[in-house]
Amino acid sequence: MMLTSVLDRAVVADESIPCRKDPELWFAESPADVEDAKQLCRECPVREQCLAGAMDRAEPWGVWGGELFVSGVIVARKRPRGRPRKNEIAA
């Protein structure tokens, strides 16, 4: 099911669907922006339908239904660019 069909069938105003205001935020490169998009999704009236549709389609990337998809799989957090450290730093 496409996201547009979920949104078209939703009995809500476009103003209450956060991704209609700034669609680029849901495909951001910055980890902070991705977390902002996930937070905005938490109050969306079609969050569950959006997430279910994204899972069915195995969305390749972006925030859908409050979850981050990378290569069709839900991941907890977006990692910043760069290589991970070889050794852990003592806290």
Side-chain angles (χ1 to χ4, degrees):
M1 177 185 322
M2 297 297 293
L3 179 60
T4 53
S5 63
V6 169
L7 295 177
D8 290 343
R9 290 192 329 232
V11 187
V12 293
D14 278 352
E15 297 83 43
S16 65
I17 300 174
C19 61
R20 291 282 177 116
K21 295 175 187 160
D22 182 12
E24 297 296 318
L25 183 63
W26 276 256
F27 300 96
E29 288 294 323
S30 160
D33 288 343
V34 168
E35 290 304 313
D36 288 345
K38 288 168 62 175
Q39 177 64 34
L40 290 169
C41 282
R42 289 192 179 103
E43 301 299 320
C44 183
V46 294
R47 179 179 180 262
E48 291 178 18
Q49 297 96 321
C50 178
L51 179 58
M55 290 171 55
D56 288 346
R57 295 185 304 275
E59 278 296 336
W61 66 292
V63 175
W64 299 87
E67 299 292 341
L68 175 62
F69 284 77
V70 176
S71 300
V73 177
I74 294 175
V75 295
R77 300 226 182 296
K78 182 169 181 93
R79 290 179 37 173
R81 289 182 171 206
R83 297 178 88 160
R85 295 185 180 275
K86 288 184 178 183
N87 301 320
E88 291 186 29
I89 295 177

